[in-house]
Amino acid sequence: SKADVNVISLANVGGCDYAYAHFLNRYIDRNISKKGSNMKSPADSSVILFIKDSPRDKSNLHMPHHERYRSINEMIQIASTRGFSCGAKTECDVSTFHDTATLYNFTKANYVRNSEILKGASRDVIQPEFNTANYTNLRDFHMRALDWTFPNVDGVTEGCYGGTFTVLASKVMELSNVPKVRRAMNFLEDNLQRNTTTTIEEHFAERTWAGLLTNPLSDEQTHRIQIIGKNMIKDKGQIFGALKADKLQHAQDFNSTRNTVKDGGAHFGRDS
């Protein structure tokens, strides 16, 4: 059967995150308008796939502590089970969950895209337009720009890197009924529209998607994740704040935890 393809042209701002935010907000608006009618909403049986145009192979896997990109079939299967799936798979002893307080301290002084580095650009180039709002860290961005914070401020928060993930459309619509989440989605799109080469807002958005589009863990789930993840990645790079297990401990404790953390899903490099 033929697929319906709708190509939407956007301004070249905000990287992939602006395109994702723009799509989500328009998708919500379209499907909210169908409420109360006899029309069946596509959101009732759809998975939304967010993916970049770069090859999904080892040479483009720039995130530390990750094994590989998941196949699209894998992503859809996981999202169909738990509502969300990241397109990049972490190493088996590294969690997708982060200590929220540590993650909230993430910041970045500048960033040069890998494509520019391959052309000879310096990693240390000064970018005066990179952080014009002078955000001190991710928490400051969430509070000032989004008027929203991660639900598990004192616990753990899921993270996803690489700009590729899937989410159940019904989950998006469910979360859009929460006023603070709906406003945060709109504010996120607004704050990604700065017309410059790269912005700190893009890096903050990358660390926001999973926490925004998934349900927070229960206290019991959080406790079990923290028991395994007694270590933490503290180098202020790609996955700052991610929980890390001792490999022997991970092998011993994983089976006792995997059946408890269901909505949390892929906690230490594996999928429930």
Side-chain angles (χ1 to χ4, degrees):
S1 60
K2 292 184 178 180
D4 291 327
V5 178
N6 182 17
V7 178
I8 303 171
S9 297
L10 298 176
N12 187 19
V13 297
C16 64
D17 298 289
Y18 171 67
Y20 297 172
H22 179 91
F23 174 84
L24 278 172
N25 286 320
R26 302 310 175 278
Y27 187 88
I28 290 168
D29 290 342
R30 285 199 308 273
N31 284 281
I32 282 178
S33 67
K34 295 177 181 177
K35 282 186 177 180
S37 70
N38 293 324
M39 296 174 62
K40 182 175 175 61
S41 169
D44 296 336
S45 58
S46 298
V47 172
I48 304 174
L49 170 68
F50 296 93
I51 193 167
K52 294 163 73 171
D53 60 356
S54 52
R56 305 176 78 249
D57 54 29
K58 202 76 173 178
S59 65
N60 282 285
L61 189 69
H62 304 299
M63 302 86 71
H65 304 289
H66 283 75
E67 288 183 358
R68 61 178 175 83
Y69 285 110
R70 289 189 169 98
S71 70
I72 291 175
N73 283 341
E74 271 184 284
M75 293 169 65
I76 292 174
Q77 182 179 22
I78 296 168
S80 297
T81 301
R82 60 177 295 264
F84 180 91
S85 174
C86 187
K89 183 179 183 297
T90 58
E91 295 169 349
C92 67
D93 60 333
V94 176
S95 180
T96 58
F97 287 96
H98 298 55
D99 175 73
T100 307
T102 303
L103 176 61
Y104 256 154
N105 282 322
F106 170 81
T107 191
K108 210 169 186 67
N110 71 325
Y111 178 76
V112 180
R113 300 185 191 278
N114 283 291
S115 58
E116 296 301 314
I117 292 171
L118 292 174
K119 296 175 184 177
S122 169
R123 292 182 184 273
D124 301 318
V125 64
I126 297 174
Q127 299 165 307
E129 298 297 314
F130 184 69
N131 184 9
T132 55
N134 295 316
Y135 295 116
T136 55
N137 52 30
L138 178 59
R139 180 192 292 273
D140 187 33
F141 172 72
H142 279 180
M143 294 182 72
R144 284 206 283 143
L146 305 188
D147 189 28
W148 174 86
T149 57
F150 287 132
N152 284 353
V153 173
D154 298 319
V156 297
T157 295
E158 188 165 4
C160 176
Y161 302 94
T164 172
F165 54 89
T166 48
V167 61
L168 281 180
S170 58
K171 174 66 68 178
V172 171
M173 297 308 299
E174 173 191 326
L175 292 169
S176 72
N177 290 322
V178 181
K180 282 187 77 73
V181 174
R182 184 72 187 98
R183 287 198 304 271
M185 288 180 175
N186 281 308
F187 289 152
L188 188 58
E189 180 183 354
D190 292 343
N191 280 274
L192 287 165
Q193 294 188 58
R194 285 204 293 122
N195 187 16
T196 186
T197 304
T198 182
T199 68
I200 197 170
E201 288 92 337
E202 295 170 51
H203 299 274
F204 289 152
E206 181 180 30
R207 287 155 180 81
T208 299
W209 288 120
L212 187 66
L213 297 175
T214 58
N215 290 332
L217 299 184
S218 67
D219 290 343
E220 181 185 3
Q221 291 170 333
T222 297
H223 177 65
R224 286 188 174 268
I225 288 290
Q226 291 171 327
I227 287 176
I228 296 181
K230 293 179 179 177
N231 303 313
M232 190 189 307
I233 295 172
K234 294 185 178 179
D235 55 306
K236 295 195 175 182
Q238 189 87 24
I239 61 172
F240 179 57
L243 302 181
K244 192 174 189 297
D246 174 87
K247 291 191 177 181
L248 284 177
Q249 172 200 343
H250 170 245
Q252 294 167 353
D253 292 352
F254 178 78
N255 287 333
S256 67
T257 305
R258 66 181 302 174
N259 294 324
T260 300
V261 185
K262 292 180 179 177
D263 190 57
H267 35 289
F268 278 86
R270 307 193 196 184
D271 308 313
S272 59

